[in-house]
Amino acid sequence: MITLRVNGEEHQLDVDPSMPLLWAIREKLKLTGTKFGCGIAQCGACTVHLNGQPIRSCVTPVSAVMGGDVTTIEGISSSDGLHSVQQAWIDEQVAQCGYCQSGQIMSAVALLRQTPNPSDEDIDQAMSGNICRCGMYGRIRSAIKNVGQGVVQTYDPQETAHG
Amino acid sequence: MGKWTRRAVISTGVIAGGGLVVGVALRPGHRAPDIAHLVTSDDEQLINAWVKIGGDNHITAIVAHSEMGQGAQTALTQMLADELDARWQDMSFIEAPAEDEYANWALGKGFVIGGVDIPQSLVPTVDGLFMQVTSAMHLQITGGSASVRATGVYGMRIAGAAARELLIKAAAAQWEVPESELTAKHSQIIHSGSGRQADFSEFAAAAAQFKPSRTPRLKSVEDFEIMGRSVARHDIPSKVDGTAVFGIDADVPDMMYAAIQGAPVFGAQALEFNANGADQSTGVLQIVNLGEAVAVVADGYWNASQALKMIDITWSKTGSEGLDSEKLFAQFERDLQAAKQSGDATDDVSSGDVEAAFERADKVVEANYRVPFLAHACMEPMNATARVDNNKCEVWAGSQNPLGFKYEIADALEMDASQVTFHQHTMGGGFGRRGTSDVAVQAARIAKVAGVPVKLIWSREEDIRHDVYRPAVASQFRAALSDQGDVLAWENMFHEKHEPDEAPNIPYDITSKSIQHIESLTHVPFGPWRSVDHSQHGFFTESFFDEVAQAVDKDPYELRRALLSDKPRHLAVLDRAAKEAGWGEKLAAGRGRGISLQQSFGSIVAQVVDVSVNQGSVKVDRVVCVIDLGFAVSPDGVRAQMESGIIYGLSAALYGDINIVDGAVKQSNFHDYQVVRMREAPVIETHIINSGAAWGGAGEPGTPGIAPALANAVYQATGTRVRQLPLSNYDFSYQFVEEEEVS
Ligand code: FES
Ligand code: FES
């Protein structure tokens, strides 16, 4: 049995310990906001947080996250509303097909937590692991800057959760 | 939102709760052979636009186009809402299900209010329009950038206007006032004299009793209230909180999962396989040999894909095992040489006396170009979920052609189309790839054999290696020039021609032109790739044009201008791009600026690209893009589509290269099939010209112009003329090389 804590909830799963977290989240917990894109840590579509740090869930075995706190796209908003990064994404009309955006948002949330007002270089660094085939990089950059510069209402329900 | 069933539509024309429904039918001009089997008699037609007004005054547009990220459903809804004089907040849309009502004239005729069909006066126009777009758009197919310019202009707007007129008629009757005293505004009917007003819904049922006008009056541009406004897309909130349900997220009770391995060499069949214990592996239900592929069905995708790796498959020989990209290009060039000698080629454009022009030329410039095969690499890997039981099949997937998928699945299972239900999902990218039903058909076949619902997910490797590729193409040019700098003749021969027909043509006023193509077939499957043939011809013609300008010692922008004097729209677009980009400024060493102009899908696009080349690496700094698409229904949506099309084309120009080795595709995933990432993404500035010309598309026209503008900029920066894509195959470590070097 594998014990997973995802979005604050504990789950006991009877799965192969080498199974990547991605498939446990999607197929066993039915949290399908986290996406499969490449399976080899090249595209970022599967990005989730482990103890607040972005990881590629497609190459992270479930056994490696036992005892940790996993946060998915479903876990970053609260009953009070959207996370500021999600709101910024709507304001900038970032999503085209939208398939990459859960991963983009998880990477951006982690970046902004680390570096509240990131420079272009910070954004290049933190976001280049996330591919967007619809090419919305300019909008992603603007949305991140809007959050950084306080143009969007900011609050982060995860901040307290992960300290 | 009520369920949209065949019975409710046909028998009453009124939805539950007494609302009004208006549909508009369009006649296609002709049918392409690949859809002929979907249409059984001559009076079967397309129905493209629908609106229903519910008892709660909520208005729903039913949109027969799939959402793959382009925002077309929102734009189409804007068009309908504006003509209806609805309030934007009252509007929503649903996608038309893959049912024959949306593609069958006989049923549709009965449905359109009161049994009256579409205004006859429109039919010729609509016919004419469809003559132009059938090459890219059939039935419910989303492609050819046709959503707004075809369905929108000739469907949604008319449906909205017709519904508005019917509501006014009904209100006039009820209030016993002349129609001329009534106006529609914000989803209400208003009587000017008394100030009396009431919601549309109050008249919806009564309106259904009237005959619609044969020619509903459409608004002119000055009266647009919702069209031309950048409204927030309805689908975006669900795409930022993870709740959007893509095909890969479909959840069917008791569903199992399948992983699949297709034949490495296209066309090969699995003769036999050695399971090596895969069938006993954890969670595995069954191994299914489909012939062209072998699939493992298991209790989860991970278990299925792990077991799949254990299997040894013996593939049949097809005779293509010895082929590689170099041999294929050698074949294309051999065939082109042979055609030049025999004269056995098909004319695309033939004007003036090309031969005489070359005889009289003071100078001849010639160049040979190539582009490689390209995969689509949609962000969402290919997938489909299917359940087959009791002679019924249900499939859940994202498709650019839901109705076509339904028929092809029925064919594969030897069922009648009425036994197949297709559940359409939003798509994680389409780009042309999701118009081909291979994956959905595989899922249905696997589910049938397995006897349980199955979600088939292609690995990224499978996606890159079993695409329907943008073809590899060779194109050869000559131009005849005079000492005075006149371009006397333009000669071009290439192989592989698909759509649109006009893609290889150029807008420039050159008296003698010969553009021809030949066939040179390969075993590599091909399909439409964002902007289709424009994706290669844009690069070829706009790069070679710069070579011509250089040969006559003219500025490439000025030479374009000089040869466009009879094309004011092209000129305006080109001039605006040059102005916004600062064309003519002096650039520092190692920097370059290139320009391109391309008309596609009814829109004209100019791009100016700035690059810097540093120690061998090419960086695209800035792209200025100007588009004239007649009228931008949603300006921000158009800008997003330009940004998207440019990055898509840039990925191909910089990196896109599918190599054939031993008959199979060499690349497999994003590490060796690279795409543009955040750190390489240029600043893109889009400027829109609303010229008032016939409305053009937005989804594809951004793509063709980026590669040539980039190549032209690279030439200026380095002196290397890029005649073969991608750019990553060039060595720029010596910055100012004269000779072209391909690694
Ligand atoms: S699916 Fe994990 S990085 Fe691509
Ligand atoms: S929005 Fe489509 S891949 Fe990013």
Side-chain angles (χ1 to χ4, degrees):
Chain A
M1 276 290 171
I2 299 276
T3 307
L4 279 186
R5 195 155 60 248
V6 179
N7 301 332
E9 247 182 74
E10 280 211 358
H11 303 267
Q12 304 283 329
L13 296 181
D14 179 16
V15 297
D16 173 1
S18 68
M19 179 198 263
L21 177 61
L22 170 66
W23 302 109
I25 293 171
R26 286 183 53 81
E27 295 179 358
K28 302 294 174 206
L29 307 185
K30 305 277 182 193
L31 293 170
T32 53
T34 303
K35 301 303 189 200
F36 166 56
C38 68
I40 58 164
Q42 282 288 318
C43 77
C46 66
T47 305
V48 299
H49 294 177
L50 176 62
N51 303 325
Q53 293 299 313
I55 59 163
R56 307 297 184 227
S57 65
C58 68
V59 292
T60 308
V62 281
S63 57
V65 301
M66 288 238 292
D69 265 311
V70 174
T71 308
T72 69
I73 185 75
E74 289 90 350
I76 60 162
S77 52
S78 74
S79 51
D80 301 338
L82 294 177
H83 189 284
S84 55
V85 172
Q86 292 172 308
Q87 187 56 50
W89 248 242
I90 295 175
D91 294 349
E92 286 296 306
Q93 295 280 291
V94 171
Q96 285 281 304
C97 83
Y99 192 79
C100 73
Q101 299 299 349
S102 298
Q104 304 277 5
I105 289 169
M106 295 311 282
S107 291
V109 167
L111 163 66
L112 284 156
R113 194 175 291 145
Q114 189 89 41
T115 313
N117 190 4
S119 64
D120 279 324
E121 291 68 43
D122 295 332
I123 294 173
D124 285 348
Q125 190 83 42
M127 301 302 295
S128 285
N130 288 81
I131 291 172
C132 176
R133 281 296 274 157
C134 298
M136 291 296 104
Y137 299 115
R139 288 171 187 243
I140 292 169
R141 187 183 296 280
S142 308
I144 291 174
K145 286 188 166 172
N146 286 351
V147 178
Q149 290 156 14
V151 182
V152 183
Q153 284 287 322
T154 49
Y155 74 94
D156 184 348
Q158 290 307 310
E159 213 125 70
T160 40
H162 295 303
Chain B
M1 237 170 288
K3 251 220 155 35
W4 195 250
T5 66
R6 174 185 294 219
R7 179 172 310 151
V9 172
I10 298 159
S11 60
T12 68
V14 172
I15 54 163
L20 167 68
V21 188
V22 176
V24 169
L26 299 182
R27 294 175 56 118
H30 67 81
R31 291 184 207 105
D34 60 338
I35 57 149
H37 70 284
L38 305 183
V39 182
T40 54
S41 78
D42 266 354
D43 58 13
E44 287 195 1
Q45 309 291 338
L46 307 185
I47 298 168
N48 280 57
W50 310 73
V51 54
K52 59 175 184 173
I53 300 172
D56 54 358
N57 216 31
H58 189 84
I59 302 160
T60 309
I62 297 130
V63 180
H65 279 279
S66 308
E67 189 59 57
M68 49 186 174
Q70 78 280 41
Q73 294 182 341
T74 300
L76 290 170
T77 306
Q78 280 179 267
M79 299 172 88
L80 188 138
D82 205 337
E83 293 291 354
L84 180 59
D85 280 314
R87 206 163 56 141
W88 182 243
Q89 296 91 296
D90 299 331
M91 297 294 306
S92 66
F93 59 76
I94 56 173
E95 182 165 336
E99 293 297 339
D100 286 349
E101 282 84 1
Y102 296 90
N104 184 310
W105 177 250
L107 294 174
K109 248 197 322 212
F111 160 65
V112 175
I113 303 172
V116 176
D117 52 54
I118 93 163
Q120 281 304 310
S121 58
L122 286 170
V123 171
T125 337
V126 170
D127 252 355
L129 180 96
F130 266 84
M131 292 294 282
Q132 294 163 22
V133 299
T134 38
S135 60
M137 187 196 100
H138 312 300
L139 298 168
Q140 287 182 313
I141 299 172
T142 300
S145 301
S147 318
V148 165
R149 66 203 181 105
T151 304
V153 176
Y154 293 94
M156 304 311 281
R157 291 187 63 189
I158 292 168
R164 182 196 62 221
E165 291 189 1
L166 288 167
L167 292 164
I168 286 182
K169 264 196 185 128
Q174 200 163 314
W175 290 345
E176 297 177 342
V177 296
E179 284 176 40
S180 59
E181 291 176 11
L182 296 178
T183 49
K185 200 174 169 71
H186 299 327
S187 314
Q188 293 194 314
I189 303 292
I190 300 161
H191 181 237
S192 54
S194 64
R196 192 173 178 185
Q197 57 190 68
D199 285 351
F200 282 174
S201 54
E202 307 232 336
F203 312 106
Q209 308 309 316
F210 289 94
K211 280 190 168 194
S213 146
R214 302 191 82 79
T215 51
R217 197 181 53 80
L218 300 181
K219 288 183 176 179
S220 51
V221 177
E222 311 82 73
D223 299 324
F224 289 176
E225 287 186 17
I226 300 174
M227 286 185 271
R229 250 173 53 192
S230 294
V231 301
R233 276 173 54 172
H234 278 168
D235 57 329
I236 288 185
S238 72
K239 291 174 175 178
V240 304
D241 65 7
T243 57
V245 181
F246 295 84
I248 203 167
D249 305 324
D251 191 17
V252 175
D254 304 322
M255 165 177 87
M256 302 283 270
Y257 297 80
I260 198 163
Q261 159 80 63
V265 177
F266 305 109
Q269 295 284 310
L271 297 176
E272 53 179 5
F273 63 83
N274 183 346
N276 293 324
D279 46 348
Q280 304 303 319
S281 173
T282 321
V284 169
L285 177 74
Q286 198 171 356
I287 301 173
V288 180
N289 184 352
L290 293 177
E292 87 278 10
V294 173
V296 175
V297 181
D299 60 353
Y301 179 71
W302 176 250
N303 284 340
S305 60
Q306 291 306 100
L308 183 65
K309 287 190 188 132
M310 299 163 69
I311 305 175
D312 279 328
I313 306 165
T314 309
W315 300 101
S316 67
K317 297 281 178 232
T318 67
S320 303
E321 287 76 14
L323 288 176
D324 57 40
S325 287
E326 269 319 302
K327 284 187 185 148
L328 293 174
F329 275 111
Q331 168 200 316
F332 304 153
E333 273 147 20
R334 208 169 45 239
D335 290 350
L336 285 167
Q337 249 17 73
K340 281 180 183 170
Q341 258 138 43
S342 67
D344 195 8
T346 309
D347 279 336
D348 287 294
V349 178
S350 172
S351 66
D353 191 337
V354 174
E355 227 167 284
F358 277 99
E359 267 162 33
R360 149 167 91 82
D362 300 308
K363 190 174 183 183
V364 172
V365 35
E366 51 189 305
N368 296 341
Y369 282 78
R370 285 180 182 185
V371 291
F373 294 104
L374 293 175
H376 296 81
C378 300
M379 204 68 233
E380 178 193 8
M382 297 297 112
N383 66 83
T385 303
R387 175 167 62 200
V388 182
D389 47 30
N390 297 330
N391 286 324
K392 262 186 21 235
C393 173
E394 280 184 273
V395 175
W396 293 258
S399 167
Q400 287 176 256
N401 180 10
L403 195 58
F405 273 39
K406 179 175 148 135
Y407 278 84
E408 281 156 23
I409 292 161
D411 265 3
L413 299 187
E414 295 179 342
M415 284 184 175
D416 189 81
S418 62
Q419 295 165 278
V420 177
T421 307
F422 186 85
H423 302 280
Q424 170 72 334
H425 286 264
T426 194
M427 284 172 266
F431 313 125
R433 175 64 180 92
R434 286 192 154 90
T436 301
S437 63
D438 51 347
V439 186
V441 168
Q442 282 181 342
R445 289 171 63 205
I446 295 167
K448 186 176 175 183
V449 174
V452 291
V454 172
K455 178 186 284 184
L456 169 64
I457 302 173
W458 278 23
S459 64
R460 178 60 66 189
E461 289 76 11
E462 194 68 10
D463 172 59
I464 299 288
R465 291 182 168 162
H466 295 93
D467 203 343
V468 283
Y469 301 87
R470 197 287 302 277
V473 182
S475 185
Q476 307 189 336
F477 292 88
R478 284 202 310 156
L481 312 170
S482 81
D483 277 342
Q484 288 73 48
D486 296 319
V487 187
L488 306 174
W490 174 277
E491 188 186 80
N492 175 208
M493 192 189 281
F494 59 93
H495 80 94
E496 188 99 27
K497 172 149 172 118
H498 302 290
E499 289 162 345
D501 196 40
E502 69 279 9
N505 203 356
I506 51 171
Y508 307 110
D509 181 18
I510 298 169
T511 318
S512 299
K513 278 196 278 191
S514 166
I515 302 175
Q516 296 182 300
H517 71 269
I518 61 161
E519 263 189 8
S520 187
L521 302 176
T522 76
H523 73 300
V524 182
F526 60 86
W529 186 97
R530 199 171 192 172
S531 83
V532 207
D533 282 5
H534 284 286
S535 75
Q536 63 263 25
H537 291 296
F539 168 64
F540 297 149
T541 59
E542 283 296 285
S543 298
F544 184 65
F545 189 89
D546 264 44
E547 295 205 54
V548 169
Q550 187 209 344
V552 297
D553 205 16
K554 284 192 179 157
D555 176 274
Y557 159 59
E558 294 296 343
L559 185 63
R560 282 180 175 81
R561 292 204 80 234
L563 298 176
L564 289 168
S565 53
D566 60 340
K567 294 207 165 61
R569 280 181 76 200
H570 290 77
L571 255 187
V573 169
L574 187 72
D575 284 346
R576 177 81 183 272
K579 181 167 160 265
E580 300 286 351
W583 188 267
E585 293 166 357
K586 241 191 129 30
L587 300 177
R591 291 180 177 263
R593 183 167 284 165
I595 195 164
S596 74
L597 178 69
Q598 183 75 190
Q599 175 166 10
S600 63
F601 307 98
S603 298
I604 300 170
V605 174
Q607 293 183 27
V608 177
V609 170
D610 285 5
V611 297
S612 42
V613 183
N614 255 326
Q615 290 158 357
S617 82
V618 175
K619 177 151 191 342
V620 183
D621 300 316
R622 177 191 188 210
V623 180
V624 171
C625 170
V626 178
I627 176 167
D628 172 0
L629 73 168
F631 180 81
V633 173
S634 175
D636 188 58
V638 171
R639 278 192 288 275
Q641 281 297 298
M642 291 299 107
E643 293 159 21
S644 177
I646 286 169
I647 297 288
Y648 200 76
L650 185 60
S651 288
L654 291 175
Y655 305 116
D657 197 2
I658 290 292
N659 293 123
I660 305 298
V661 175
D662 299 333
V665 170
K666 179 174 160 220
Q667 285 72 19
S668 62
N669 205 319
F670 289 119
H671 67 289
D672 57 4
Y673 190 68
Q674 289 188 53
V675 299
V676 167
R677 292 167 179 273
M678 177 63 87
R679 70 173 96 84
E680 304 136 291
V683 173
I684 300 171
E685 301 167 26
T686 301
H687 306 273
I688 297 170
I689 296 178
N690 283 332
S691 68
W695 296 7
E700 294 169 279
T703 302
I706 182 69
L710 170 63
N712 294 339
V714 166
Y715 175 78
Q716 204 194 13
T718 65
T720 296
R721 177 51 68 181
V722 174
R723 298 195 184 94
Q724 302 181 10
L725 294 179
L727 217 63
S728 55
N729 286 346
Y730 285 76
D731 180 1
F732 294 107
S733 46
Y734 302 97
Q735 208 164 304
F736 295 99
V737 283
E738 291 300 321
E739 286 296 310
E740 146 178 340
E741 292 178 0
V742 182
S743 63

